[in-house]
Amino acid sequence: MRHTLFLILIWLPLLICATDKNVNITIKLSTELSQTEQWIYASGYVGANEYAILDSVKVNKGDTQTKLSFDIYEGMSIYILCAEKGPVNLFFHIEPNTNCKIEIDENMDGRYPRPMKGNDMQNELLAFDNKILYIGKKSEDQSLPEDSIRYYKAKLTEAYIKEIHKTQYPTLAWVYILWLPGYAEERREEEPFRSVIQYAQQKFPNNGLIERLSITSPEPATAKSKAASERIRALIKKRYYVEPKDTTMGAKLQLAFPHISKKKINTDSIAEEYVLVDFWASWCVPCRKETPFLKMAKERYKDKLAVYAVTIDADTLKWEKAIEEDSTRYFIHVRGVSDRNVPDKQVRALKIKSIPRNFLLDKERRIIAKDLRGEELLNALEQLISQK
């Protein structure tokens, strides 16, 4: 008996150590997500071309917290996927020996947007990205003169290179190299890319991410990697599938998109008798050409017609700028796409493949006309409203 107890006492610490993982992500669930039974997955590339599901955990109804745990041997990008509701492609960077906490809700997707307790590397990246946000947007603003765009791209390149010299995280150096304006694999031997890669390789010798910047023919993915990738793709496809909405004439159409003020506005709650649901974007030239007719319609039928303008602009600043330029603040401006350019499920359900698109709804919020343009819109409203 003593001998058995002695062996247990010796082996117990070893067993505990053997089950330890060098990455632990504690996930706090929003109230809505805590009411959903589902699986949550962590996945990512563990090599140049090797994809893996790192861990998965089942969340039961009523759970407000859960944890993902796994081992990694170098820094990498982690992707969080909720199988039923919540993030589909929430990602952040992480190092081995990290114990961090995140909070997720049903509207979150894309890069994790907040400072993360226990993940100093991700917080450094977030702080730097906020610092260069203005320059980055200017470098992509096609409305600026070419000289101005070149200037901002040069400033952005300078900022990235400076940060590559400053950071102590090889993962961040790798990220900043990939984000350099104009960077592409086929341009790695051009300047400034060649010099920056050489510097990073000297600064972080034997780091897999940095080494792979010079590899032109990575090893093909294994069968296990392909299976993991196919599994995640199938889950994402399932999440993105939505039951198509009926858009035939006479069908009731109820929509609820977030207003520019962030509060959701439901078409059923709009006071005006008629609602023109108009899908547009700041970059859509044909859409902007229709704006004068929309304004005439609204001004002509002030308290009888509402223009429910659904943008698919991923860039909030460009959306707001277009509203000011077109003087359409009095429209009901809502958004049908996320910051990461992921269309809202209602947009997908309507099968909106191109814009401009519009639907005219009556007081019962049934479709009475579709895709009205220019004078055709004004004539249709004349017959519906003025002659009543």
Side-chain angles (χ1 to χ4, degrees):
M1 181 68 180
R2 287 183 180 178
H3 181 68
T4 303
L5 181 60
F6 177 71
L7 287 176
I8 291 173
L9 291 174
I10 288 176
W11 282 102
L12 186 58
L14 297 178
L15 289 170
I16 292 171
C17 290
T19 59
D20 283 350
K21 302 296 183 180
N22 67 17
V23 170
N24 295 280
I25 304 170
T26 300
I27 303 175
K28 182 180 179 182
L29 306 169
S30 68
T31 301
E32 185 170 344
L33 289 187
S34 69
Q35 301 306 310
T36 304
E37 182 178 297
Q38 63 177 323
W39 283 85
I40 298 179
Y41 298 81
S43 64
Y45 283 93
V46 295
N49 203 27
E50 194 71 8
Y51 193 80
I53 297 176
L54 301 162
D55 193 21
S56 60
V57 61
K58 186 178 181 181
V59 176
N60 297 308
K61 286 186 179 181
D63 290 349
T64 59
Q65 187 169 290
T66 190
K67 186 164 78 169
L68 293 162
S69 299
F70 47 88
D71 287 317
I72 58 175
Y73 63 90
E74 66 181 4
M76 62 183 293
S77 302
I78 301 297
Y79 294 84
I80 304 296
L81 165 66
C82 294
E84 302 297 332
K85 179 180 281 189
V88 174
N89 196 33
L90 182 67
F91 70 94
F92 50 89
H93 303 285
I94 206 162
E95 292 271 278
N97 305 312
T98 298
N99 295 292
C100 63
K101 295 182 178 181
I102 64 173
E103 298 180 10
I104 63 173
D105 59 47
E106 59 277 12
N107 298 313
M108 189 177 288
D109 213 2
R111 194 173 72 194
Y112 191 78
R114 309 174 188 138
M116 190 181 299
K117 187 175 181 180
N119 190 345
D120 293 339
M121 180 178 70
Q122 177 68 15
N123 293 340
E124 181 179 310
L125 172 64
L126 186 62
F128 174 67
D129 196 40
N130 288 333
K131 181 180 176 182
I132 62 167
L133 184 62
Y134 176 79
I135 300 174
K137 286 186 177 295
K138 287 293 185 181
S139 71
E140 298 176 352
D141 189 347
Q142 296 303 311
S143 67
L144 294 176
E146 289 186 13
D147 287 348
S148 296
I149 293 175
R150 281 196 295 269
Y151 167 79
Y152 284 113
K153 283 185 176 180
K155 295 295 289 182
L156 192 59
T157 298
E158 180 184 323
Y160 280 134
I161 292 175
K162 183 178 179 181
E163 201 66 17
I164 290 167
H165 282 73
K166 178 182 175 183
T167 187
Q168 294 305 306
Y169 295 108
T171 304
L172 294 191
W174 169 73
V175 169
Y176 298 147
I177 290 171
L178 297 181
W179 287 357
L180 283 166
Y183 175 82
E185 285 189 10
E186 60 271 19
R187 299 187 64 193
R188 289 186 294 198
E189 291 303 314
E190 299 178 18
E191 294 296 347
F193 314 124
R194 184 171 66 86
S195 295
V196 174
I197 291 172
Q198 288 178 348
Y199 170 79
Q201 289 173 337
Q202 292 171 2
K203 183 175 181 179
F204 303 109
N206 304 317
N207 178 266
L209 288 172
I210 302 299
E211 284 182 347
R212 287 194 289 274
L213 288 170
S214 298
I215 296 175
T216 54
S217 300
E219 291 290 323
T222 64
K224 185 177 180 181
S225 170
K226 291 177 181 177
S229 180
E230 287 172 5
R231 172 62 176 152
I232 293 298
R233 277 202 300 268
L235 288 166
I236 291 174
K237 184 177 180 180
K238 178 185 174 186
R239 279 295 312 277
Y240 277 125
Y241 175 80
V242 290
E243 194 69 32
K245 283 183 178 290
D246 184 359
T247 57
T248 58
M249 298 295 286
K252 184 173 175 58
L253 185 60
Q254 182 189 53
L255 300 171
F257 290 104
H259 186 253
I260 196 168
S261 66
K262 308 299 183 184
K263 182 181 179 181
K264 277 191 177 182
I265 295 185
N266 193 310
T267 48
D268 282 359
S269 69
I270 296 172
E272 286 84 348
E273 184 176 355
Y274 295 93
V275 176
L276 182 67
V277 179
D278 183 66
F279 290 87
W280 73 292
S282 64
W283 43 263
C284 173
V285 175
C287 300
R288 302 287 289 274
K289 286 183 177 179
E290 290 297 318
T291 302
F293 295 99
L294 298 179
K295 291 171 69 175
M296 279 190 278
K298 176 59 183 172
E299 288 162 7
R300 190 175 294 178
Y301 307 106
K302 292 181 173 60
D303 57 355
K304 292 186 178 182
L305 175 72
V307 178
Y308 189 79
V310 186
T311 186
I312 56 171
D313 269 293
D315 191 318
T316 304
L317 294 179
K318 289 181 180 178
W319 173 36
E320 293 178 341
K321 182 180 179 182
I323 292 171
E324 294 302 326
E325 288 176 347
D326 296 343
S327 301
T328 60
R329 180 62 68 176
Y330 55 97
F331 289 0
I332 299 173
H333 284 287
V334 294
R335 197 175 188 192
V337 70
S338 72
D339 290 337
R340 305 299 300 181
N341 205 25
V342 177
D344 185 282
K345 63 181 180 181
Q346 296 169 103
V347 175
R348 301 197 303 274
L350 287 168
K351 303 295 183 184
I352 302 294
K353 301 295 184 182
S354 62
I355 51 175
R357 288 290 313 276
N358 63 44
F359 301 92
L360 182 60
L361 311 181
D362 64 11
K363 63 180 179 180
E364 301 296 331
R365 299 306 177 244
R366 297 188 181 280
I367 300 172
I368 55 175
K370 294 187 284 188
D371 298 320
L372 298 170
R373 303 276 185 270
E375 292 292 340
E376 182 186 13
L377 169 64
L378 299 176
N379 292 336
L381 292 171
E382 174 75 17
Q383 292 178 9
L384 285 167
I385 301 174
S386 297
Q387 296 181 15
K388 286 184 69 174

